[in-house]
Amino acid sequence: MPGDELAGHNTADGGPAGRLSAAGGEPSSDGSTSAPGVTGSWPGRGAARYLHGTTGRGLVIFGVSLGLLLIRLLVPTPVGQADNRDGPRLMCGLGLGPVTGHHPRFFRFSYFEYVPKHSCAGRVPYPSSELVPIEVARVLTPIFGLHGSVNLIAVAVLMCALASVAIASLAVGLRIRPWAQVLVAAACWLIIADSAFFDVFAGPFSEPAALVGLMLVAAGVVYLGRGWRLTVFGLVLAGSGGFLAILSKEQYLVLAAPICITLVLASATRGPWRGLGRFRNQQAAAGILVAVALALMGGVYALWDSLSSYGQRLHHIQAVDMLFTDIVTKRATAPAQLRALGLPVSWARYAGHYYWDTTSVRQSPLYPRYMDKLTDGNITHYLLTHPGSILSVGQSAAILAQRFRITSLGDYPVSAGHPKGAYESRVVVLTWLMHQLPPGLGLWWLVPLWLVIAGVAAVALTWGRARPWHRDGAAMVLCMIGCAMLAFIPPAYYAGISTTRHMVGMNIATSLAFVVAAALAVSLVQQAVTRDRQPATAGTAAGAEAGKVAAVSPGPRR
C-alpha cells in the first residue's frame, strides 16, 4: 500500500516536516518540505520508516475490513438478494441458471448456486463489467469448495476483497493522522456493509460492479498528482474502478464524464489551474491516457446500446414504465399530458400501470402505431417543455431514493429456514440514519446536501494555505458529487420502476463524499482557529521576551 512522504501527523508544528518548515524549508510540488540545502524532504532512513508504517497500517485496515465483511456475509448464514427478474439478463447470457430446488425463483429467496441451463443455451452475454468478477468467481468456486459452475458467494467474497482494498487505500491515502485514517476507514466500512448496498454482492445483478467501482475511483483519486509512483497507483485504482462502474450497465455510462474529467485534472502538476503547462508531464499524460481509454470503452458500450435489438427493446420498456408510472399517473390529468406527448387520449386508462402490468398500454390495439412516441427522446422533449415536471418527477424519485434500501426482495437462502421474502438487517447504521429524516424531503434535502459538500470541497481546493491533503480530499469529493448528481438522472427520469434499487450508485457516491467532506470541514475549521490564535501567541511571546531583556538590562546610570 503506497504511502506518501508527508502525512498530517508529520505536518504538525512538532513533527519533522513542521520543524523543517520552521527552519526555512520550502514546500515541493507534492506537498513535502525540504530544508535549505538538503536534497529531498526526508532522510532515507526516516522516509523508509514512514513508508513502512503507512504500508503496515494499510494492510491492517485491509485485513480487518475484509475479515469483518466476510463475517457480515457468511455468519450465521450467507446472505444475498433475491432475483427480481433482472437476473436472467446477466446470468442467462452466460448460459447459467440458479438451482432453486422447486422453490419460487424470483423475489422470495436468494440462490447462490448457478449451473448450465438448456433454456439459456445460445444466449449472447449482456455487456457488463460485472462479467469480469463472475468469470473470476467461476475459477474461485471450486477452490472455495462451493457448489455449482459459478457460486455467487465467490462473487461476494471477491467484492468484499475489492471493497477492502478501496477502504484501506482511501484511508491511508488521505495524509491525516492515523486515528483519523481509522475513523475514515470505519465510516467507509459502515457504508458498504450497510444492507442497502451489501446485499447485492451475492445477487445476480450488475450493481456490485458499480458500487465497488465507485469506491475504487474514490480511493484512487486521492493519490493523483502526487508524483509518478503514487499517481500510477492511483490510476490503477481509479482506472479499474472506472471500468467497473461506468460499464456495469447502461444506466451508469454517464459516470464517464465526472470520472474522466477528474482523472485528467487531478493527475496534472499542482499549481495554478490556468494554462496547459500543468499537463506537460509524465503523470498528466498517464491520466489523460486512462481517461481516454475509459471514454472510448463507454462510447463503444453506448453505441452497442443504441444499435442492438436488446438495448432498443430495454429502452422501449423503460420508456413505457417512465411515461405511465411517473408522468401520466392520474386519470384526471392524463388527457392533457397524453396530448403533449403526442399519444392517444384514450390511453388515460393505463395511467399508473407499468409495461408488464396486467393492465398495460402494450395491450392497446393502437400500441404499434404509436411505438415511435414511446422513446427517451419524447420523454426528454416533454420534460424540457414542461419544466414543472422536472421538479415533480425528480422529487418523487428523490423520495424513493431516501428510502435507501428495498425490503421487497428476500435476502436468505432456503436452507436458512427464514420465511419467504425475509430480509436481513445485520448492518443498517446508514439506513437507520436516513430513516430519521422526514420521509418527504426528497430534493429539498438532497440538493442542499450536494451543494454544501461541494462548497466545502471548493473551499479546501482554493484556500491558499490549505494543508496538502485538502487538495486530495477535495478532488475526491467533487468527483463523487459529480457521480452522484449524474447517477440520479437515469433512474429518476428514464427508468420508471425499481427506483430505490436503481439509486444505489447515487446513494453510495453521496455517502462517500459526505465522509471526506466532513473530515475536510473539521480540518478547515481547526486550521482557521489555529491561524487566528497564532498572532496572539506570537504577541504574548514577544512581550515575554521583552520582559526578560528588561529584567537583565542594567538600569540607567546616575
Side-chain angles (χ1 to χ4, degrees), residues 323-324 328 331 333-351 361 364-374 378:
L323 286 169
F324 289 93
V328 184
R331 288 199 176 190
T333 57
Q337 295 167 331
L338 290 169
R339 291 191 191 97
L341 288 164
L343 299 175
V345 174
S346 61
W347 282 4
R349 69 171 68 97
Y350 303 116
V361 69
S364 171
L366 298 176
Y367 182 74
R369 185 189 304 178
Y370 289 93
M371 284 186 65
D372 60 339
K373 295 290 186 179
L374 304 174
N378 197 23

Side-chain angles (χ1 to χ4, degrees), residues 432-527:
W432 179 83
L433 289 173
M434 289 294 298
H435 289 176
Q436 304 313 301
L437 298 173
L441 286 180
L443 291 176
W444 299 110
W445 85 275
L446 189 59
V447 172
L449 177 66
W450 284 340
L451 293 177
V452 169
I453 292 175
V456 171
V459 172
L461 196 62
T462 57
W463 195 0
R465 298 185 61 185
R467 292 166 179 167
W469 80 274
H470 287 177
R471 184 260 191 192
D472 311 329
M476 175 270 188
V477 168
L478 292 175
C479 179
M480 288 296 103
I481 286 298
C483 290
M485 291 179 174
L486 290 182
F488 177 84
I489 295 173
Y493 297 105
Y494 297 100
I497 60 174
S498 300
T499 304
T500 301
R501 191 172 71 85
H502 292 156
M503 285 290 184
V504 292
M506 183 277 291
N507 279 331
I508 197 170
T510 302
S511 301
L512 293 172
F514 179 83
V515 169
V516 177
L520 283 172
V522 172
S523 180
L524 288 170
V525 170
Q526 187 268 340
Q527 186 177 2

Side-chain angles (χ1 to χ4, degrees), residues 268-519:
T269 302
R270 303 187 177 191
W273 287 96
R274 297 179 180 178
L276 298 177
R278 300 174 57 247
F279 301 96
R280 296 172 183 171
N281 57 66
Q282 191 178 20
Q283 63 187 31
I288 293 172
L289 287 176
V290 174
V292 169
L294 291 176
L296 287 176
M297 288 188 286
V300 171
Y301 192 115
L303 184 63
W304 171 88
D305 187 53
S306 63
L307 298 179
S308 70
S309 58
Y310 185 91
Q312 292 174 354
R313 175 169 170 75
L314 175 63
H315 285 290
H316 175 74
I317 294 173
Q318 290 175 334
V320 172
D321 291 337
M322 182 67 202
L323 286 169
F324 289 93
T325 63
D326 286 88
I327 296 177
V328 184
T329 58
K330 299 178 180 178
R331 288 199 176 190
T333 57
Q337 295 167 331
L338 290 169
R339 291 191 191 97
L341 288 164
L343 299 175
V345 174
S346 61
W347 282 4
R349 69 171 68 97
Y350 303 116
H353 296 278
Y354 62 98
Y355 182 88
W356 294 110
D357 202 346
T358 53
T359 304
S360 170
V361 69
R362 62 189 173 90
Q363 299 169 347
S364 171
L366 298 176
Y367 182 74
R369 185 189 304 178
Y370 289 93
M371 284 186 65
D372 60 339
K373 295 290 186 179
L374 304 174
T375 62
D376 291 344
N378 197 23
I379 293 173
T380 302
H381 178 266
Y382 178 86
L383 293 173
L384 293 177
T385 54
H386 298 76
S389 296
I390 297 177
L391 180 60
S392 61
V393 172
Q395 173 68 357
S396 299
I399 291 174
L400 292 173
Q402 193 177 332
R403 294 181 182 176
F404 219 69
R405 71 168 298 192
I406 57 173
T407 56
S408 58
L409 299 177
D411 292 331
Y412 291 101
V414 176
S415 59
H418 290 277
K420 295 179 181 180
Y423 57 90
E424 61 87 21
S425 299
R426 294 176 182 174
V427 180
V428 288
V429 175
L430 192 56
T431 297
W432 179 83
L433 289 173
M434 289 294 298
H435 289 176
Q436 304 313 301
L437 298 173
L441 286 180
L443 291 176
W444 299 110
W445 85 275
L446 189 59
V447 172
L449 177 66
W450 284 340
L451 293 177
V452 169
I453 292 175
V456 171
V459 172
L461 196 62
T462 57
W463 195 0
R465 298 185 61 185
R467 292 166 179 167
W469 80 274
H470 287 177
R471 184 260 191 192
D472 311 329
M476 175 270 188
V477 168
L478 292 175
C479 179
M480 288 296 103
I481 286 298
C483 290
M485 291 179 174
L486 290 182
F488 177 84
I489 295 173
Y493 297 105
Y494 297 100
I497 60 174
S498 300
T499 304
T500 301
R501 191 172 71 85
H502 292 156
M503 285 290 184
V504 292
M506 183 277 291
N507 279 331
I508 197 170
T510 302
S511 301
L512 293 172
F514 179 83
V515 169
V516 177

Side-chain angles (χ1 to χ4, degrees), residues 65 68-69 72 167 182-198 215 404 426-433 508 511-512 515:
S65 172
L68 292 177
L69 286 178
R72 193 249 182 275
I167 291 172
V182 172
L183 286 181
V184 169
C188 292
W189 189 92
L190 288 174
I191 290 172
I192 195 58
D194 195 278
S195 296
F197 306 123
F198 189 83
M215 293 189 70
F404 219 69
R426 294 176 182 174
V427 180
V428 288
V429 175
L430 192 56
T431 297
W432 179 83
L433 289 173
I508 197 170
S511 301
L512 293 172
V515 169

Side-chain angles (χ1 to χ4, degrees), residues 95-180:
L96 302 173
V99 177
T100 63
H102 304 292
H103 293 281
R105 177 175 179 179
F106 300 110
F107 302 107
R108 303 308 181 197
F109 295 107
S110 183
Y111 300 106
F112 306 123
E113 182 182 350
Y114 277 73
V115 297
K117 294 286 186 178
H118 293 294
S119 58
C120 295
R123 291 280 296 269
V124 178
Y126 172 73
S128 171
S129 57
E130 180 71 15
L131 295 176
V132 176
I134 289 177
E135 290 300 331
V136 174
R138 192 191 293 269
V139 177
L140 295 177
T141 293
I143 295 176
F144 292 162
L146 301 171
H147 298 292
S149 298
V150 172
N151 196 295
L152 296 185
I153 293 178
V155 178
V157 170
L158 178 61
M159 290 300 177
C160 288
L162 292 176
S164 298
V165 169
I167 291 172
S169 300
L170 175 60
V172 300
L174 295 173
R175 293 172 285 179
I176 53 182
R177 298 176 184 272
W179 63 264

